[in-house]
Amino acid sequence: MKVTAIYVYPIKALRPIRLDAAKLTSQGVQWDRRFMIWRVDDDDPSKLTKIQIDKQHDCGLFKQEIVGDKVEVTYLTPAKPVVPFHPQQQVILEVPLSPDISALETVELDLHLSSVKAYKMGSHYDDWFSACFGVKAALIYIGDGRRPVLGTYAPRVDDPQEQRGRLSTLSSRVTGTLGPTKVKPWITFTDLAPFLVATEKSLANVRTRLAASDNNVEMTAFRPNIVIDGDKDFDEDFWTELSAHGAPLLRLTKMCNRCPSLNVDYNTGRLAEGERGTVLKKLMSDRRVDEGAKFQPVFGKYAFLHEQQEGMVLSVGDDIHVSQRAEERPVFDWPLRSRGAQPQYYQP
């Protein structure tokens, strides 16, 4: 198999940036999801609500590009405007990739019960996003903040057999000794893990479920970091380790349970029309395969970088093979507020 695409999302929820090659870190593709936009409550400015594309569909109208040491963000006004015109919408916003946090106001954030102290970028950035979204918004930088990985999403490298369950080793397995993790795993503003892996083979399966006139769903709708061509539809459900360059690369731990973001048309900033707007429903028929989240279909697999690969460069076209797999699918166990779980902070 080969890598067919690599994506990075410096500002979470906006359009991805496609890369030919990327430096990989324990927290994902370099620069991935270091920033996030939050909605500010009109009556209580201290109350922040995350802005994500499943509910704020016009996130798809924001193009981002890394230029030097900045992210340039452009608002793409659709043919049918989503919000009233504002002059700021015609301005390209420049966001430093590594801003100085010494003078920034801090804020406590709770994202999927994985909490962190982060930094408000300030009115210059907030005003621009507010003008484009049509609501009060704040750009937040995670800086030196660390969000804990909850449940059993992080790999147990000290006891790989326990973490992965019953493993069947392929004849092409790359052997190696797994040592203990020196630093407890943590994440930035990624949802539940540093990487999301998806395959072209599974995307092709999704497209067959739609009418010919509406089967133009792109991989970007699934918001992965690393895309592989794949050998068999949804075989990634059972992958537990991928190798590249002759060594283990990624440990895959849990499946990705999907939400209505799959139905968004990035060109209009609205839910897509026709069958293209029913992708989530189409997957409901046979892809509710996670026993821990029975009402959400699965597409893609969450992953963590092998500790010996910190800083390695992965390129489109690189060979990838499955070096370990499981006989059974993993089970969602991220704590949920609806089940009485409480927010947690990173503890080294």
Side-chain angles (χ1 to χ4, degrees), residues 141-174:
Y141 174 55
I142 199 163
D144 54 3
R146 299 182 176 189
R147 291 177 54 230
V149 180
L150 306 181
T152 59
Y153 273 68
R156 287 276 302 278
V157 295
D158 57 325
D159 186 0
Q161 288 295 123
E162 178 179 335
Q163 169 63 19
R164 293 171 179 149
R166 297 195 303 268
L167 297 179
S168 57
T169 305
L170 303 180
S171 59
S172 60
R173 175 178 177 179
V174 176

Side-chain angles (χ1 to χ4, degrees), residues 226-261:
I226 298 173
V227 183
I228 300 167
D229 47 12
D231 289 332
K232 187 169 63 175
D233 301 1
F234 305 117
D235 190 47
E236 59 270 25
D237 289 1
F238 302 96
W239 298 350
T240 59
E241 183 178 88
L242 292 177
S243 294
H245 303 174
L249 175 67
L250 295 172
R251 295 190 174 96
L252 295 88
T253 60
K254 300 289 185 178
M255 299 180 292
C256 183
N257 302 300
R258 293 302 179 165
C259 68
S261 65

